[in-house]
């Protein structure tokens, strides 16, 4: 199997088909495109999501916290706590381990989230720290946003841009390789500032307050993957409007030099939102200080892409562009 998260067909065959959904209080069970489970606990809803960080080294604790809490935000909830699992190699010293945990605690506290506990283990089965975080959130019953709530005809928007997390990881972990491939220091410095854009909590709050019912965090697989997962969760097709894509100049430079597609690059910090045309989401965000860009629309059936004015069938790439980069330059080690 390819490195990276399982693709939809394999995920369904290997994992999801083994899970029984039999409890009436589980409102959103495990499913393709649904990153969070939702549980009815009476007066409110409990939202739960788990995520690992495996493709980053520097600032991995910060990324882990924000990525997991972004899934909670995409479900229309407010995160309040996290459980942390750390699998650490024996070579990692006590100081490095303490610094990693402090980074996790500090990152969570900035979001108003408390570390509730977890598990820490030293194992020679890993070569670098593996961080897995389970985030817990609370939602009012009227504010739930499920990926499967998207409808045919909905317009698709992303916040901030594309390739945000992926380009940050590339610049943060592989700056010398980027320079060697002709990426300018200015572009590297520019995307390093994306660290301040990795939370989608602000746009999630604004979107759900204005009636958006379907959102999805743009993680592995980038914009392509997020659109495909949302459509799959809602049993719909999609049209990707690539001619509308507006990647940041520095992301374009990095991806061009490394022969990567920014729309297929992991992009935590971007939120995919589906809204009916009459909602006019662009007007909602106009004075918010958060940029949004139209990237497509949902269809009753069929998967298509429009590029240079030409519409063609679309097939999702096999893996995220970050993994393509790592495999090309470092093999499977």
């Amino acid at each position: 199997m390819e490195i990276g998260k399982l693709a939809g067909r394999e995920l369904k065959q290997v994992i999801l088909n083994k899970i029984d959904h039999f409890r009436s209080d589980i409102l959103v069970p495990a499913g393709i495109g649904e990153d969070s489970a939702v549980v009815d606990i009476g007066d409110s809803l409990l939202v739960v999501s788990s995520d690992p960080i495996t493709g980053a080294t520097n600032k991995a604790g910060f990324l882990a916290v924000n990525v997991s809490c972004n899934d909670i935000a995409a479900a229309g909830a407010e995160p309040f706590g996290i459980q942390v699992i750390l699998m650490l190699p024996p070579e990692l010293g006590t100081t490095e381990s303490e610094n990693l945990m402090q980074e996790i605690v500090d990152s969570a506290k900035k979001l108003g989230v408390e570390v509730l506990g977890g598990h820490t283990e030293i194992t020679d089965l890993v070569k670098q720290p593996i961080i897995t975080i389970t985030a817990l959130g609370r939602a009012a019953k009227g504010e739930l946003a499920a990926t499967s709530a998207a409808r045919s005809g909905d317009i698709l928007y992303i916040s901030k841009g594309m390739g945000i997390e992926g380009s940050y990881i590339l610049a943060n972990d592989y700056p010398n390789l980027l320079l060697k491939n002709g990426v300018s220091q200015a572009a590297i410095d520019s995307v390093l500032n994306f660290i301040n854009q990795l939370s989608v909590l602000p746009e999630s709050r604004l979107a759900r307050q204005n009636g958006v019912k379907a959102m999805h965090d743009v993680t592995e697989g980038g914009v392509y993957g997020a659109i495909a997962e949302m459509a799959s969760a809602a049993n719909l097709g999609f049209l990707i409007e690539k001619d509308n894509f507006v990647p940041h100049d520095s992301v374009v430079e990095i991806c061009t030099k490394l022969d990567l597609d920014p729309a297929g690059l992991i992009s935590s910090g971007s939120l995919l939102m589906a809204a009916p045309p009459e909602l006019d989401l662009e007007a909602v965000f106009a004075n918010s200080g958060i940029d949004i860009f139209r990237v497509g629309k949902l269809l009753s059936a069929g998967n298509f892409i429009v590029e240079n004015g030409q519409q063609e069938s679309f097939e999702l790439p096999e893996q995220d562009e970050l993994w393509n980069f790592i495999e090309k330059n470092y093999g499977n080690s």
Side-chain angles (χ1 to χ4, degrees):
M1 292 188 286
E2 296 284 349
I3 290 178
K5 71 178 184 180
L6 284 177
R9 187 179 296 107
E10 288 181 314
L11 178 63
K12 186 173 182 180
Q13 176 185 342
V14 177
I15 304 296
L16 295 178
N17 283 347
K18 310 299 185 291
I19 299 175
D20 292 329
H21 170 43
F22 58 91
R23 292 183 60 100
S24 60
D25 54 350
I26 309 298
L27 303 185
V28 179
I32 294 175
E34 296 292 2
D35 290 332
S36 300
V38 180
V39 186
D40 188 340
I41 55 173
D43 294 337
S44 60
L45 302 174
L46 176 67
V47 181
V48 184
S49 182
S50 296
D51 255 314
I53 288 292
T54 56
T57 303
N58 297 325
K59 291 288 186 180
F62 174 87
L63 291 170
V65 170
N66 280 273
V67 167
S68 60
C69 290
N70 281 351
D71 283 339
I72 300 298
E78 290 288 331
F80 63 83
I82 58 173
Q83 290 266 18
V84 181
I85 295 178
L86 296 177
M87 307 296 285
L88 306 176
E91 297 80 13
L92 193 71
T94 301
T95 299
E96 290 86 349
S97 301
E98 289 180 353
N99 290 341
L100 175 59
M101 192 62 213
Q102 191 64 58
E103 183 178 300
I104 291 170
V105 171
D106 292 344
S107 300
K109 195 169 184 180
K110 286 182 180 178
L111 298 176
V113 171
E114 185 164 327
V115 176
L116 305 176
H119 176 79
T120 304
E121 185 170 326
I122 311 300
T123 172
D124 58 7
L125 296 178
V126 300
K127 298 177 182 179
Q128 67 182 47
I130 301 296
I131 308 168
T132 301
I133 288 185
T134 296
L136 305 175
R138 185 183 294 106
K141 292 188 175 181
E143 293 187 349
L144 181 64
T147 311
S148 58
R151 296 291 179 262
S152 179
D154 281 356
I155 308 300
L156 299 174
Y157 299 89
I158 61 166
S159 63
K160 299 179 185 137
M162 56 187 63
I164 291 177
E165 180 188 4
S167 59
Y168 171 80
I169 291 172
L170 290 169
N172 199 37
D173 286 358
Y174 310 99
N176 292 332
L177 187 55
L178 266 60
L179 290 169
K180 182 179 178 181
N181 280 273
V183 178
S184 68
Q185 187 63 54
I188 292 173
D189 292 341
S190 176
V191 299
L192 286 176
N193 288 324
F194 288 172
I195 192 171
N196 301 312
Q197 300 185 39
L198 290 175
S199 173
V200 300
L201 280 167
E203 52 262 53
S204 167
R205 291 169 182 145
L206 182 58
R208 69 177 185 260
Q209 289 166 5
N210 285 276
V212 174
K213 295 299 183 182
M215 301 184 287
H216 196 58
D217 189 22
V218 185
T219 53
E220 196 165 326
V223 174
Y224 295 145
I227 291 175
E229 288 180 356
M230 176 176 279
S232 179
N235 294 313
L236 297 171
F238 57 82
L239 176 67
I240 296 174
E241 299 171 347
K242 193 166 184 178
D243 291 337
N244 289 337
F245 287 2
V246 188
H248 191 281
D249 289 345
S250 296
V251 175
V252 172
E253 180 179 336
I254 289 172
C255 288
T256 299
K257 297 293 186 181
L258 301 181
D259 193 25
L260 305 176
D261 185 343
L265 183 61
I266 187 170
S267 191
S268 289
S270 301
L271 183 66
L272 177 68
M273 298 167 282
E278 61 270 19
L279 183 54
D280 194 1
L281 206 59
E282 292 181 22
V284 168
F285 276 82
N287 297 313
S288 67
I290 302 171
D291 293 327
I292 66 169
F293 306 95
R294 175 170 171 162
V295 292
K297 63 181 178 181
L298 293 171
L299 310 174
S300 58
N303 302 331
F304 305 98
I305 187 169
V306 173
E307 186 173 6
N308 298 322
Q310 299 296 313
Q311 179 172 313
E312 298 179 354
S313 295
F314 178 80
E315 188 168 331
L316 188 66
E318 291 185 358
Q319 63 180 356
D320 191 279
E321 291 284 53
L322 180 62
W323 290 117
N324 288 334
F325 166 84
I326 292 173
E327 283 190 356
K328 178 180 177 181
N329 291 278
Y330 299 98
N332 295 329
S333 59

